Amino acid sequence: MQRSRLALVGAIAASALAITACSGGGGDTDAAASENAISYGTTDPQLLIPGRQSVAFDFNMAVWSPLTFLNNDGSLDYVAAESVETDDATTYTITLRDGWTFHDGTPVTAQSYVDSWNAVAYGPNAMENSGQLANIVGYADLNPAEGEPTTTEMSGLTVVDDTTFTVELSGPDGQFPLQVSQAMTAFYPMPETAMDDLDAYNVHPIGNGPFEIVDDYVENETIVVTAYEDFAGDEPTIDQISFVPYTDEATAYTDVLAGNLDVNGVPANRLTQAEGDFGDRLYSFEAPGISFLGLPLWDERYQDVRVRQAISMAIDRETIIDVVYGGTYEPATAWTPTIEPGTPEGICGEYCEYDPEAAAALLEEAGGFEGTMEIYFPGGGGLDPLYEAIANQLRQNLGIEATIDPSADWAEFLATRTAGDIDSPYFSRWGALYPSQQATLRVFFIQGGGCDNCIPFYSDEVAAAMATADADPSGDGTAYADVQELIQAEFPAVPLFNETYSYVTSERIAELVTSPVGNPTLREIVLAD
């Protein structure tokens, strides 16, 4: 489904195993039955504003255009921006293309971006994606530790003229041009009228993208967007998209199989049969998602690094991938997914390889493991088969009394993990919003980076190494190998899988096009003749 496949702010999104609250009784798809229109299964978004949305990525990437766009070959295209330039990786000058307008006809200007970014960053507005702007100088002033902010503007943003503005960052960051690409929705612009009433704007958002919303958003009803006639960018290949909300993921899958829905994500419990059901209409896109088995490092039983390494070596990733994921994932061999440039593949070495005898010996050398182990994960999202398999392998290979312990729902799990009230291994994953090691390492291993206690290992050494890597002028990601070496030495969690995001289509679709963020690029979808 639409969604959750790119990092849900809280880290559950994007995995076929994550809580994909998709389909169960969609809306009216007749609007998408015309020759040059498609229907797309989604979770009902509720929040559509780019600074707030968490499961409306596909809607956002249709209704807005980013400053830059990352291609599958790793190249960076400029879309709304003419250029994003810097001499020191700290102050960037962004020059906009001429002639771009919002869907209400008003021009998209440098002031539009500055006002939008300030609105998203302003603490009292409580925008869920505000943290995407945290490295801009002045962000802290809009989000004081105590009390209300005394300003509404970040000092790091300066309008030069109608098509030019500058961005000063808190430190050198060669990855900034990637951060303003398609999935970092907090960087999208909003028209001046949006600032007057953000709640009203959420009901009928006006963007600068290839498609515009037709009617006001109504909860649990289909959202129809049509091609914007005055769009200044490349013309989309289709004229209309109907985002159809479902509450049951199996129903959406069946609707695609029956030809009643054109595109939908593959639910976890259908991954093993999807190829048989759809053949070449199953698309599995490599994506910047990675799964870990989180460990409660505050529990003394997990303090010895050999215990953590033994747990990793006792897990048969290949078998789990075949049985649970239908062969669509790959074993993780590093601390970031392979799609992120410069990832030092194989750095995990023997500790990410299945070797039950060596695992048992290493655990014995560490003094064994006392007590039971109840693996904790969000209930209701189809994760049971994964954690049942892991628990079985830990019982068989290490003699640990391991069982599973699903939470009541995602909200309960998130609160428990964030508070550190877990005494067993647990669900941990992230789907990065741009394919850079920075986007994964910062979230997991920098305090306040975006996924609190996903991997509760934070050190000054890692933070310093991250700052050095961020400032690397080459921008090719190789500098992050030093960060991964530090993490590997401590082995704070168990790397499991590099994820793919899987989708199925009706016979109306000839080709589903993607980008390095893993979601379909709907404006480039190819319809069958």
Side-chain angles (χ1 to χ4, degrees), residues 214-267:
V214 175
D215 298 313
D216 288 354
Y217 163 70
V218 177
E219 189 173 345
N220 292 318
E221 291 190 10
T222 295
I223 304 172
V224 177
V225 299
T226 58
Y228 175 47
E229 290 185 359
D230 294 326
F231 181 56
D234 294 336
E235 184 178 352
T237 57
I238 53 176
D239 297 331
Q240 183 172 290
I241 307 168
S242 292
F243 293 98
V244 186
Y246 285 82
T247 55
D248 176 67
E249 55 190 39
T251 302
Y253 181 90
T254 302
D255 276 353
V256 180
L257 196 58
N260 298 323
L261 185 67
D262 290 320
V263 184
N264 196 76
V266 181

Side-chain angles (χ1 to χ4, degrees), residues 400-426:
I400 296 174
E401 189 178 337
T403 57
I404 64 170
D405 178 28
S407 68
D409 52 27
W410 167 248
E412 177 187 289
F413 173 84
L414 178 61
T416 304
R417 189 205 68 208
T418 301
D421 291 335
I422 302 174
D423 60 2
S424 64
Y426 55 90

Side-chain angles (χ1 to χ4, degrees), residues 21-273:
C22 307
S23 321
D28 179 13
T29 62
D30 290 343
S34 63
E35 183 176 344
N36 204 35
I38 67 164
S39 55
Y40 190 80
T42 72
T43 299
D44 183 71
Q46 297 190 7
L47 298 174
L48 299 177
I49 293 177
R52 300 205 64 190
Q53 69 83 24
S54 60
V55 294
F57 285 98
D58 296 292
F59 173 84
N60 269 236
M61 288 188 283
V63 173
W64 282 268
S65 285
L67 290 165
T68 65
F69 187 90
L70 275 162
N71 300 305
N72 277 328
D73 62 3
S75 62
L76 188 71
D77 282 344
Y78 292 96
V79 184
E82 180 72 38
S83 62
V84 179
E85 300 176 318
T86 184
D87 293 325
D88 57 6
T90 300
T91 299
Y92 284 83
T93 298
I94 298 177
T95 302
L96 303 176
R97 296 187 188 276
D98 288 324
W100 281 63
T101 62
F102 289 106
H103 301 149
D104 61 1
T106 59
V108 179
T109 66
Q111 192 69 55
S112 305
Y113 280 91
V114 169
D115 289 346
S116 297
W117 294 7
N118 281 326
V120 173
Y122 186 59
N125 284 340
M127 296 275 191
E128 284 80 349
N129 296 328
S130 170
Q132 294 176 20
L133 306 167
N135 281 345
I136 298 175
V137 170
Y139 178 86
D141 296 331
L142 272 60
N143 296 272
E146 296 181 1
E148 293 291 309
T150 58
T151 180
T152 60
E153 299 178 353
M154 290 183 282
S155 57
L157 299 177
T158 303
V159 174
V160 178
D161 56 39
D162 280 352
T163 59
T164 312
F165 66 105
T166 61
V167 184
E168 183 184 357
L169 305 179
S170 57
D173 190 347
Q175 305 293 297
F176 181 73
L178 279 66
Q179 294 168 18
V180 294
S181 62
Q182 60 262 40
M184 295 283 279
T185 60
F187 289 98
Y188 286 164
M190 298 182 288
E192 183 178 356
T193 54
M195 315 305 166
D196 297 333
D197 190 338
L198 289 169
D199 289 335
Y201 183 64
N202 187 72
V203 174
H204 197 106
I206 295 168
N208 68 326
F211 296 92
E212 60 180 325
I213 192 169
V214 175
D215 298 313
D216 288 354
Y217 163 70
V218 177
E219 189 173 345
N220 292 318
E221 291 190 10
T222 295
I223 304 172
V224 177
V225 299
T226 58
Y228 175 47
E229 290 185 359
D230 294 326
F231 181 56
D234 294 336
E235 184 178 352
T237 57
I238 53 176
D239 297 331
Q240 183 172 290
I241 307 168
S242 292
F243 293 98
V244 186
Y246 285 82
T247 55
D248 176 67
E249 55 190 39
T251 302
Y253 181 90
T254 302
D255 276 353
V256 180
L257 196 58
N260 298 323
L261 185 67
D262 290 320
V263 184
N264 196 76
V266 181
N269 61 357
R270 294 292 190 274
L271 280 169
T272 56
Q273 71 183 69

